[in-house]
Amino acid sequence: MRDALRPEAPFPAAARTALADATLRANLRRATSTIRRRRDQVVGEVEDWDRLRAQAAAIKDHTLRHLDRYLAQLEAAVAERGGQVHWARDAAEARDVVADLVVGAGARRVLKVKSLTTEEIGLNDVLAERGVEAVESDLAELIVQLGGDRPSHIVVPAIHKNRFEIRDLFARAMGLPDLAPEPTALAEAARLYLRERFLAMTVGISGANFLVADTGAVAVVESEGNGRMCLTLPHTLITVAGIDKVVPTFEDLGVFLRLLARSATGERMNPYTTVFSGVVPGDGPQAFHLVLVDNGRTRALADPLGRTALRCIRCAACLNVCPVYERVGGHAYGSVYPGPIGAVLTPQLRPDDEHARTLPYASTLCGACADVCPVGIPIPRLLVHLRSVAVRADEASGRLGARLAPERLMLRALGRAFAQPRQFERLQALARVMRPLGGRQGRRLPGLGGWTRSRALPTAPRRSFRRWWREEHR
Amino acid sequence: MSVDAKGRSGKARDEVLARIRAALSAAAPVPPPPPLPPPPAPPDLLERFARRVADYRARVTRAAGEVEVARAIAACLGREGGGRYAVPPSLPSSWLKAPAGTEFVVDRGLGPSDLARLAGSVTGCALAVAETGTIVLDGGPGQGRRAMTLVPDHLVCVVFERQIVADMPQAAAALADAMRTGPRALTWISGPSATSDIELNRVEGVHGPRRLDVVLVAGGPEDAGGRGEGRAPQPPPPSGPD
């Protein structure tokens, strides 16, 4: 089964394919500029925004440092309230646990509310193998599912499609040849398509935005009401969540609820948030299972800087401001987590993956992501850190090609030269000899194609600073 | 759950916790941050809440006191053309004066298909949040089950001035004690159901109620009197009017 955290190609190759798609770039530009404008407006309303973000970061850092304690507390609180907690070390174990629960409940069809974690573990594929149909209820997930597509954004999975593409898809899949390409008409079509399915379903599967240790509460943030349908109407509910989703107290939840919607969709608050704990007699599902998933998160936790990426609350604000994401879209990252946060999460969740190691380079290091992050993840620092991790891993692999790569040899030689004045001056002399090569773009140097294809080689000055100094201060 | 599955999950639990401890073995303790001081209360919670609710294209109907609630609810129902409305068993009967063409159906476990045939539902709330125009239902008296306020297309919700808090952290703090006592389900509602999934255009009305009416009542519920005029319902009347 395909691992949703392992890109099928290195980022530069995937990006080239994506850049060739003019419709995609137009769709992304329109959508990301809309959402950026809305976010800026509602974030600007909150006077103490920076204090709020610092608070959220501090809560997350504390939680992550004592994650074992909070997960145990969460487990006990859920059990006390009639729920059952399951644990999964990796994706395969997680999807088996969920599939066993679904089959055990006798369901042939399950209702799903948008969940990145279930995408991450490849749940729908294993359900299909076991004869269970998974019905995606989020409008964007429905668009993705009906189109046999993959999500390309954390919050708006079908951001890469415009209204005309969605109209054509719905017209075909729902048998509505006269459907108008208007968002209102398309939303209405989805409502009618899903309505009967909502009312008849016995098992629901959801993700979680937050888990609250002291109350066993699960928070699911959504807009359409499909989440409430899924969390309320079925008899059995299975929630799948990463171990990084926990916060200590119910009071802490208030801090994150104040940050999330403004950062994610540019609304003061999303239309619906469901917060429930265990099984409430006579109200909603009467059987509740919570599946806690590691799947690489503990590896990220081991890295003191890397673990800051686990603060992430999946708002996708960093995607919407990223000049790289805006041009290539989510699919180019090849992971269920795209954009800047994906570029720092994916290689940590899959450190052995060669393609994932190319993701930290998918950035100009402009820093816009860090400015908007509601939990203050230092994404640019992480990108640089993970580049060095990638280089070291490459070196440690012992491959001859890796050791003799021109870039590495050049940097090693530079390192030596910079340490000794004599060598340094010799290098400057060499640069002066090479002056005729400089100044123009498109002169590729052998073995340094990646560096010289899009950059002009700088022209060395006729006289170096050191020589000028010596001559002036004789 | 089978013995095998239980054994597998138990092993997984121990291993995940062991991995966490190993990952953090060299990390210094990180204390929890002290809670943020509450921001100064905005001068008029009621007006701010009303404005923010209206921004979501929900309709706000004012009532000068609890005696006017029945009239305000009837007006909301009348505007929608009446029909059958679900109400929780514990809704104060003084709120319910059905105008012509309207009937109230007490929800004693109506199934999803029964609910789908109704025109709407009427409910109280646990508290409301001024900054975001959010209403919180907690399943307490006057509110009923979650399905009742979800499936029918029109929701009428009664909010008392004294139930309004300033922001999300204050709302969470007010609800925390009740959450710590046992299983509970909260629904936080900010406007009618909506989506922004198509080109980031907001469309109101998808799967949840497509129309939201808020009856905003000055003061507090009559039987919750004596709380004083203080503007800090901490905790708020957790169960709404009864």
Side-chain angles (χ1 to χ4, degrees), chain B residues 43-138:
Chain B
D44 201 339
L45 288 176
L46 180 76
E47 290 312 315
R48 170 176 268 211
F49 174 74
R51 274 197 310 276
R52 300 272 153 110
V53 168
D55 279 351
Y56 296 123
R57 289 183 224 173
R59 246 182 339 222
V60 179
T61 304
R62 305 292 186 116
E66 191 169 1
V67 287
E68 277 195 28
V69 170
R71 181 201 51 80
I73 291 175
C76 295
L77 271 45
R79 273 197 300 260
E80 291 289 327
R84 302 174 72 218
Y85 279 74
V87 295
S90 50
L91 203 72
S93 55
S94 65
W95 292 10
L96 301 175
K97 302 227 162 52
T102 303
E103 186 195 337
F104 293 110
V105 183
V106 177
D107 171 33
R108 299 186 197 279
L110 293 168
S113 326
D114 302 325
L115 290 167
R117 280 192 288 272
L118 300 179
S121 55
V122 180
T123 179
C125 73
L127 59 81
V129 186
E131 186 185 52
T132 56
T134 303
I135 296 161
V136 183
L137 311 183
D138 72 353

Side-chain angles (χ1 to χ4, degrees), chain A residues 389-451:
Chain A
V389 169
V391 168
R392 262 178 236 124
D394 213 24
E395 244 167 14
S397 74
R399 278 189 307 117
L400 197 64
R403 276 186 297 143
L404 295 181
E407 182 183 309
R408 186 178 318 269
L409 294 177
M410 191 182 76
L411 286 171
R412 190 171 300 153
L414 276 178
R416 247 179 247 138
F418 275 51
Q420 297 165 2
R422 271 275 106 134
Q423 298 273 10
F424 183 70
E425 288 194 4
R426 246 178 243 147
L427 206 62
Q428 286 183 321
L430 180 66
R432 276 194 295 281
V433 173
M434 286 170 63
R435 288 186 86 243
L437 277 178
R440 260 186 314 164
Q441 205 177 305
R443 283 180 190 276
R444 296 196 194 187
L445 297 184
L448 291 172
W451 280 80

Side-chain angles (χ1 to χ4, degrees), chain A residues 38 62 65 68 75 89 140 163 188 191 195 214 223-224 251 258 267-268 271 273 275 277 294, chain B residues 13 15 19 21 27-28 30 55 131 151 180 184 186 188 190 194 197 199-200 202 206-208 210:
Chain A
R38 285 213 308 239
H62 164 69
R65 174 59 189 84
D68 52 339
E75 181 183 40
R89 284 163 281 197
R163 62 182 73 186
E188 178 66 17
R191 176 185 168 97
R195 193 80 181 165
D214 71 343
S223 297
E224 297 165 21
E251 284 84 349
R258 197 155 177 237
E267 296 166 297
R268 293 194 183 109
T273 300
V275 182
S277 59
D294 178 354
Chain B
R13 175 189 194 275
E15 193 175 326
R19 286 178 188 172
R21 287 176 192 131
V30 178
D55 279 351
E131 186 185 52
V151 179
R180 279 191 265 268
R184 237 180 155 79
L186 309 175
W188 305 55
S190 309
D197 278 347
E199 298 179 6
L200 274 307
R202 188 178 159 98
V206 195
H207 304 300
R210 284 186 278 197

